[in-house]
Amino acid sequence: MSETASKTLGTPARDPDAGRWKALVFIALAQLMVVLDATIVNIALPSAQQDLGISDGNRQWVVTAYALAFGGLLLFGGRIADLWGRKKAFVVGLGGFAAASALGGAATNEAMMFGARALQGVFGALLAPAALSLLAVMFTDAKERAKAFGIYGAIAGGGGAVGLILGGFLTEYLDWRWTFFVNIPFAVVAAAGAYFVIREPEGGRNRSPLDIPGVILSTLGLVALVYGFTRAESEGWSDSVTVGMFVASAVLLASFVLVESKVKAPLLPLRVITERNRGGIYLSLGLAIIAMFGLFLFLTYYLQIVKGYSPVKTGFAFLPMIAGMITGSTQIGTRLMTRVAPRLLMGPGFLVAALGMLLLTQLEIGSSYAALLLPAMLLLGLGMGTAFMPAMSLATQGVEPRDSGVASAMVNTSQQVGGAIGTALLNTIAASATTAYVADHIAGATSRSQQQLVQLEAMVQGYTSAIWFAVGILVVAAAIALTFVNAGRPGGTTVTSSGEDAADEVQIPVVAH
């Protein structure tokens, strides 16, 4: 499409910001910090628990406090970014995240630790959507957007595995407190760089009054949903509080949708999620994350408990997945995104990841890393990297500038909720299969060594049972991407809204090269 054509769609052509590639460095650094934090703390958790005297029953709150605040406040954070301006929200989010990390590293008891993790979640919920929406409004040319989102997608996908390596190093050779302190230099450099380099395009703010009922309903609904899945993992699906949380979440989120359809300036304009491409992306991304989060958990336990790997060696074992993600995102996704329709990258990408997951259903106690785990991780990384990159870009393409914060927040929300569901659902399936295997085989184990062997076999049986479900989930994600996402390639067809909002949708101009 030419610049002239873009003007006829109602979007004034503007010169791109000369510092946008420098800005990408600082945005990527901030995103890496947030993604790292999701896994780096898990590695340090046993040491932190011992030092601070956290009970086994309360241990989960180190992870849950962060997940609840982050998942519950993402939509609010996205709306604040639209209201304040993305650059300001980004810098404030980084400063708050650094301060909360310092508090966590200096924690002297469990209350201080839980509070610090909740604060990290609050500022992360402001930072993450601001980072993605800054990319969305700064990179509007199709080819440049492909490169920028390729880098961002690689970090979003592979950062968690990098966290396992860094967390292992810091815990093993320094102290668990450094898994928190390490965020401070990341945040300071990213905030300083953003302050001096980022120039946010004019005219993209949404200065409408804040939708307070929407904020309350969405926050409580998402917190109830995330906590319901987190509690299901520890207390079971039939637990009365778990069931109550799911019911409350359904009522609150249904009320939220009703309120958003009525109010004049909604927190989440329904046009953002009812457009079929974005709806398909939020759904397929959430499903893919369900599969991935469960896998990180199982492989970490498999390598450390069954194979006896150290934390550092476990982190390095994930390197092929990172390499696959970077290759899939920056080489395959970026090169093909302007040539083929997004669904032709997303659908096959999820299917390649499902093939990698399918290999892991063959796991046994004596499985070879080189023969089984290495090719499986490479396929998973390649598939996810290829699929994530166009998904991240298309989720914010064609959105009105004033809605880019909440559209970005929805990407993060689908990932966060997907992570909570994945950890709880797949863990429950694995635990049930493990218990059943032990009940069936323990009677025949007479010696202590035989009993230990049955326990390890049961653990692996649990993992493979859950991984079969993950394979199915990825196939469903591929089907959704191929069915719902019907946008043409960015250089050819622009993304439009359907229905009455079509006239309001702002097209992102793309200049033919």
Side-chain angles (χ1 to χ4, degrees), residues 127-368:
L127 171 62
L132 184 55
S133 58
L134 273 171
L135 278 193
V137 297
M138 291 178 79
F139 290 90
T140 53
D141 173 77
K143 287 190 177 179
E144 288 196 348
R145 189 179 177 90
K147 287 178 189 172
F149 277 89
I151 294 164
Y152 187 88
I155 290 169
V162 176
L164 295 173
I165 299 173
L166 192 57
F169 259 109
L170 294 173
T171 305
E172 208 165 308
Y173 297 117
L174 290 172
D175 184 71
W176 66 265
R177 295 182 185 277
W178 282 98
T179 60
F180 285 90
F181 292 145
V182 75
N183 289 331
I184 298 170
F186 272 100
V188 169
V189 171
Y195 184 79
F196 291 109
V197 172
I198 290 177
R199 272 195 358 205
E200 189 180 345
E202 294 295 323
R205 290 204 195 173
N206 184 346
R207 300 182 188 275
S208 306
L210 202 57
D211 169 23
I212 300 299
V215 169
I216 294 168
L217 289 169
S218 67
T219 302
L220 291 178
L222 288 169
V223 164
L225 184 63
V226 173
Y227 184 57
F229 279 109
T230 306
R231 190 176 173 88
E233 186 187 354
S234 56
E235 305 297 329
W237 295 89
S238 57
D239 172 69
S240 58
V241 177
T242 302
V243 174
M245 284 292 157
F246 286 137
V247 171
S249 171
V251 171
L252 287 163
L253 292 176
S255 304
F256 171 66
V257 171
L258 185 65
V259 166
E260 299 308 275
S261 67
K262 304 287 185 189
V263 295
K264 188 177 178 183
L267 173 70
L268 175 64
L270 296 183
R271 61 179 174 267
V272 171
I273 53 172
T274 52
E275 198 274 311
R276 66 179 288 167
N277 289 286
R278 280 191 291 275
I281 282 167
Y282 298 146
L283 197 53
S284 59
L285 265 187
L287 286 169
I289 293 291
I290 289 175
M292 285 297 286
F293 259 67
L295 183 75
F296 273 144
L297 192 70
F298 298 144
L299 281 186
T300 302
Y301 277 110
Y302 173 80
L303 292 168
Q304 289 194 21
I305 296 171
V306 179
K307 289 294 201 183
Y309 283 23
S310 68
V312 171
K313 193 176 178 184
T314 299
F316 275 106
F318 280 95
L319 274 177
M321 191 184 292
I322 302 171
M325 281 184 174
I326 291 170
T327 304
S329 189
T330 62
Q331 299 305 310
I332 302 171
T334 300
R335 289 172 189 275
L336 294 180
M337 189 177 149
T338 54
R339 299 178 188 179
V340 301
R343 69 176 180 278
L344 299 181
L345 289 173
M346 290 176 65
F350 288 137
L351 289 175
V352 169
L355 184 60
M357 200 78 82
L358 189 63
L359 285 180
L360 290 174
T361 61
Q362 308 305 307
L363 267 185
E364 295 173 355
I365 289 178
S367 290
S368 158

Side-chain angles (χ1 to χ4, degrees), residues 224 281 323 428 506:
I281 282 167
T428 307
V506 172

